[in-house]
Amino acid sequence: MIKIICIGKLKEKYFRDAVCEYLKRLSKYTKVSLIEIPDCNDVDVKTCLSKEKDAILKNIKQKDNVILLDVNGIEYSSLAFSNFINDELSYNSNITFIIGSSNGFDDDIYSLFNKRVSFSKMTFPHQLFRILLLEQIYRGFKIIHNEKYHK
C-alpha cells in the first residue's frame, strides 16, 4: 500500500481530475491512500510547521516506511525510482510519501524520517507536484511489471 500525505487541498478541477486518473490507473497495482492536511494560515512559519508536523504524525503508523519529498533528497531517473519503489515495497509493504508545505517540514520531521527523495532542484507548485509523484509511481509500477508505457 502507498500512502501520500500532503499539505493543502486541490482547488482546481483539472488537478483533481488528474489525481483521480492516476489513482484509477494505480489501482491495478496497489492501493493508494491520499491524505490531505489543511493549509495553516498562521502568519508565524514555525507555528505552521509545528501544526503540520502534528497532523502528519497523526497519519503515520509505526509500521509505515516514510519517505519525505524534499529538494535535498536523492534524485532518481524513472528507472531508478521504479527500482527504489520495488526495493522499498519488498522491505515494507507500506510506503508513505510526505509532501510538505512550501515552508518545508518541521525539524522534528526531518529528524524522525531520514529517507528523502527529490524530483528536481526546481520548485513546483504543490498541487502539480502531487500529480508528478502519482505519475512517477504509476510509471514505476509499469516498469516493475515490464509493461510498455509512453516514454
Side-chain angles (χ1 to χ4, degrees):
M1 178 185 160
I2 293 180
K3 182 171 23 176
I4 300 171
I5 300 172
C6 39
I7 308 298
K9 294 192 178 284
L10 294 178
K11 297 173 182 102
E12 295 85 358
K13 183 181 181 323
Y14 52 90
F15 284 144
R16 290 192 309 268
D17 289 345
V19 166
C20 287
E21 178 62 28
Y22 281 110
L23 291 175
K24 183 175 82 175
R25 290 180 187 192
L26 279 163
S27 68
K28 175 181 175 183
Y29 305 104
T30 188
K31 181 180 178 189
V32 179
S33 171
L34 188 64
I35 299 167
E36 294 180 327
I37 294 172
D39 286 313
C40 175
N41 295 322
D42 199 300
V43 176
D44 182 54
V45 172
K46 285 190 179 231
T47 301
C48 282
L49 289 176
S50 180
K51 287 178 181 178
E52 291 166 1
K53 172 193 74 170
D54 294 342
I56 289 168
L57 293 177
K58 284 180 186 175
N59 288 287
I60 294 176
K61 295 182 172 71
Q62 185 150 2
K63 65 181 180 176
D64 289 352
N65 179 12
V66 177
I67 300 163
L68 301 178
L69 282 300
D70 182 70
V71 70
N72 295 314
I74 298 171
E75 289 186 36
Y76 294 97
S77 68
S78 291
L79 179 59
F81 187 65
S82 71
N83 290 331
F84 174 77
I85 290 172
N86 200 33
D87 291 346
E88 293 298 315
L89 285 172
S90 67
Y91 164 74
N92 183 334
S93 61
N94 296 302
I95 296 178
T96 299
F97 289 100
I98 304 176
I99 304 170
S101 69
S102 58
N103 295 314
F105 296 105
D106 184 273
D107 288 341
D108 289 345
I109 295 291
Y110 284 118
S111 66
L112 288 170
F113 309 110
N114 61 6
K115 289 184 186 174
R116 299 179 192 173
V117 172
S118 174
F119 277 26
S120 173
K121 297 297 181 196
M122 294 180 185
T123 302
F124 297 104
H126 283 74
Q127 298 88 340
L128 180 59
F129 187 76
R130 194 175 309 183
I131 297 163
L132 291 173
L133 174 61
L134 286 166
E135 191 282 331
Q136 284 300 300
I137 293 169
Y138 174 68
R139 184 180 296 271
F141 275 102
K142 295 291 275 187
I143 293 169
I144 290 165
H145 290 89
N146 294 313
E147 297 173 1
K148 189 173 181 169
Y149 187 58
H150 185 271
K151 294 181 181 183

